[in-house]
């Protein structure tokens, strides 16, 4: 160890600075951290603004708003089916009704929500720093490696849950601003007026409708993604393979895509609850049922999907998962598997005798 290179002053100082830290690096690191956090805020806001039209169209489809007739086409098997309008067709319809600015309805509260989420995560990292653990890749050190993954995932879960709760009120306002397109309402015209209105009509809990399924989906996503990536990298990828490091670097990315599909129903239920029974046409009968809880919403959708499958409607595109271009077999399978795993998510007797009750008449 005598020939080892000396550690830099930063490595000798305790986390967060202290007596071992020199006077020079401390402020520099602080300024660098603030600059990085500001960069993340700007990048997050830019990404939110760029993707907002896609989110807007997805939400309108989720709540069942289909103003344009379906077109006849053929699926991959050559069978003739009906296709609902895609993103660009839907976006052109919005531009025709509201102009190009209409594609960005509800953007302001969403930008505030994105900023709050980013700032909250940054502050959580500073307040509760994660202690570094040396990288472990040997299968003989499985317990140490698994403990590292569990610790990192727990820390990430805490940050995600807190940031979700902090930013959710603005998310609710953004969702309601967007669905006003359906009934042409102007109930939620601004951020501050929307805050006052929600507080008067629904109380403090009105800002957190739909937050539970979002958090449940986030937790399932994080744990499944990180644990599956860890086990695949440890047991399925051979260290003797020349491209092992490259494969391991993409494992979590691929698992993220798979888990986002698995947890999509939680996102769907959370978004539907955010706009349900809020005084807007999109969340009131006969356009949509009134749900007493997110469990009620989950059971209702499960019953509707099961009814669709019973009526041999699996070849058509369901209005809910179509927002992500997913066939309704996927939603049916996901709801069924999750419902079987968690008994209290099992669907009860459907409230409607026809699957089209969620669609506009």
């Amino acid at each position: 160890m005598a020939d080892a290179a000396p550690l830099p002053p930063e490595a000798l100082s305790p986390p967060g600075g202290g007596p071992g830290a020199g006077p020079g690096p401390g402020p520099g690191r602080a300024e660098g951290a603030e600059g990085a956090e500001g960069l993340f805020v700007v990048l997050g806001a830019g990404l939110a603004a760029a993707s907002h039209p896609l989110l807007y169209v997805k939400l309108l489809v989720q709540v069942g708003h289909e103003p344009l007739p379906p077109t006849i086409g053929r699926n991959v098997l050559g069978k003739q089916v009906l296709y609902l309008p895609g993103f660009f067709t839907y976006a052109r319809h919005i531009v025709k009704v509201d102009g190009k600015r209409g594609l960005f309805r509800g953007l302001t509260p969403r930008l505030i929500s994105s900023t709050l989420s980013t700032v909250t995560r940054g502050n959580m990292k500073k307040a509760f720093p994660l202690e570094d653990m040396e990288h472990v890749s040997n299968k003989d050190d499985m317990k140490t490696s698994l403990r590292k993954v569990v610790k990192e995932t727990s820390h990430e879960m805490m940050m995600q849950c807190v940031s979700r709760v902090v930013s959710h009120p603005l998310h609710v306002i953004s969702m309601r601003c967007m669905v006003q397109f359906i009934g042409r309402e102007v109930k939620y015209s601004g951020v501050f007026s929307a805050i006052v209105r929600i507080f008067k009509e629904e109380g403090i809990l009105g800002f957190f409708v739909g937050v539970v399924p979002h958090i449940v989906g986030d937790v399932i996503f994080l744990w499944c993604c990180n644990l599956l990536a860890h086990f695949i990298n440890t047991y399925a990828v051979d260290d003797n393979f020349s491209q092992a490091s490259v494969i391991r670097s993409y494992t979590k990315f691929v698992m993220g895509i798979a888990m986002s599909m698995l947890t999509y129903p939680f996102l769907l239920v959370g978004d539907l609850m955010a706009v349900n029974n809020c005084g807007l046409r999109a969340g009131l009968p006969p356009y949509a049922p009134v749900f007493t809880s997110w469990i009620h919403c989950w059971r209702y959708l499960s019953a509707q999907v099961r009814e669709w499958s019973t009526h041999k409607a699996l070849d058509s595109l369901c209005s809910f998962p179509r927002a992500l271009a997913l066939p309704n077999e996927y939603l049916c399978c996901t709801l069924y598997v999750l419902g079987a795993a968690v008994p209290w998510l099992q669907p009860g007797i459907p409230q409607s005798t026809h699957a089209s009750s969620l669609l506009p008449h």
Side-chain angles (χ1 to χ4, degrees):
M1 296 297 294
D3 296 331
L7 293 174
E10 296 89 340
L12 298 175
S13 60
R29 291 199 305 273
E31 293 177 0
E34 292 178 359
E37 182 177 342
L39 179 61
F40 281 127
V41 170
V42 174
L43 290 177
L47 180 61
S51 62
H52 188 76
L54 178 61
L55 178 69
Y56 186 15
V57 171
K58 184 192 75 170
L59 178 64
L60 295 180
V61 174
Q62 282 179 329
V63 298
H65 183 55
E66 299 292 348
L68 303 175
T71 58
I72 299 177
R74 296 187 180 275
N75 58 14
V76 293
L77 300 178
K79 186 176 181 180
Q80 196 175 58
V81 294
L82 291 177
Y83 286 101
L84 294 174
F87 166 73
F88 293 104
T89 304
Y90 216 130
R92 284 195 295 269
H93 172 72
I94 295 175
V95 172
K96 183 179 179 180
V97 175
D98 281 346
K100 293 182 179 179
R101 293 184 59 183
L103 289 173
F104 298 93
R105 180 193 293 261
L107 176 60
T108 300
R110 188 182 176 213
L111 291 179
I112 299 175
S113 175
S114 174
T115 302
L116 284 175
S117 178
T118 304
V119 172
T120 300
R121 291 180 67 91
N123 292 335
M124 289 288 293
K125 286 183 179 180
K126 295 177 183 178
F128 304 97
L130 180 64
E131 296 180 3
D132 293 332
M133 298 178 64
E134 60 178 276
H135 177 69
V136 180
S137 59
N138 195 329
K139 295 180 181 179
D140 296 333
D141 298 325
M142 177 62 188
K143 291 184 179 180
T144 303
S145 180
L146 181 59
R147 187 166 61 249
K148 176 178 181 289
V149 173
V150 170
K151 186 174 183 179
E152 291 177 348
T153 305
S154 300
H155 186 260
E156 190 175 356
M157 179 185 67
M158 177 186 65
M159 293 191 300
Q160 178 63 27
C161 290
V162 173
S163 64
R164 172 70 71 179
V165 172
V166 171
S167 61
H168 192 75
L170 275 301
H171 174 76
V172 171
I173 295 175
S174 178
M175 296 291 104
R176 295 184 179 183
C177 288
M178 286 187 276
V179 298
Q180 289 183 137
F181 174 83
I182 298 174
R184 312 307 298 164
E185 298 103 337
V186 290
K187 183 177 180 180
Y188 300 95
S189 56
V191 176
F192 295 105
S193 61
I195 292 175
V196 174
R197 181 178 290 274
I198 293 176
F199 183 77
K200 286 183 177 180
E201 295 181 356
E202 306 173 47
I204 193 68
L205 295 180
F207 295 104
F208 298 98
V209 287
V211 69
V212 174
H214 275 293
I215 291 178
V216 173
D218 290 342
V219 171
I220 294 176
F221 175 87
L222 287 174
W223 282 101
C224 290
C225 181
N226 290 350
L227 289 178
L228 285 176
H230 167 72
F231 287 126
I232 291 175
N233 288 338
T234 303
Y235 289 111
V237 181
D238 192 352
D239 291 332
N240 297 325
F241 184 58
S242 60
Q243 301 295 327
S245 60
V246 178
I247 295 177
R248 288 192 176 103
S249 64
Y250 284 100
T251 302
K252 185 173 288 189
F253 173 75
V254 176
M255 288 298 100
I257 297 177
M259 288 304 104
S260 64
M261 296 174 62
L262 176 67
T263 57
Y264 173 77
F266 293 100
L267 172 66
L268 169 64
V269 172
D271 288 346
L272 291 180
M273 290 302 299
V275 301
N276 190 253
N277 196 25
C278 63
L280 301 177
R281 182 187 175 193
L284 291 173
Y287 202 90
V290 174
F291 301 116
T292 57
S293 67
W294 75 273
I295 300 296
H296 180 199
C297 179
W298 182 288
R299 290 175 175 173
Y300 180 85
L301 294 179
S302 300
Q304 294 299 303
V305 172
R306 179 169 295 184
E307 189 175 339
W308 272 328
S309 62
T310 303
H311 286 81
K312 307 296 183 181
L314 288 179
D315 289 332
S316 63
L317 290 180
C318 166
S319 65
F320 300 119
R322 189 185 65 81
L324 295 183
L326 300 176
N328 64 351
E329 291 96 327
Y330 154 70
L331 181 61
C332 180
C333 178
T334 304
L335 291 172
Y336 179 80
V337 171
L338 292 176
V342 185
W344 43 269
L345 288 179
Q346 288 284 1
I349 301 176
Q351 297 180 0
S352 174
T353 58
H354 197 271
S356 62
S357 60
L358 286 181
L359 299 178
H361 299 286

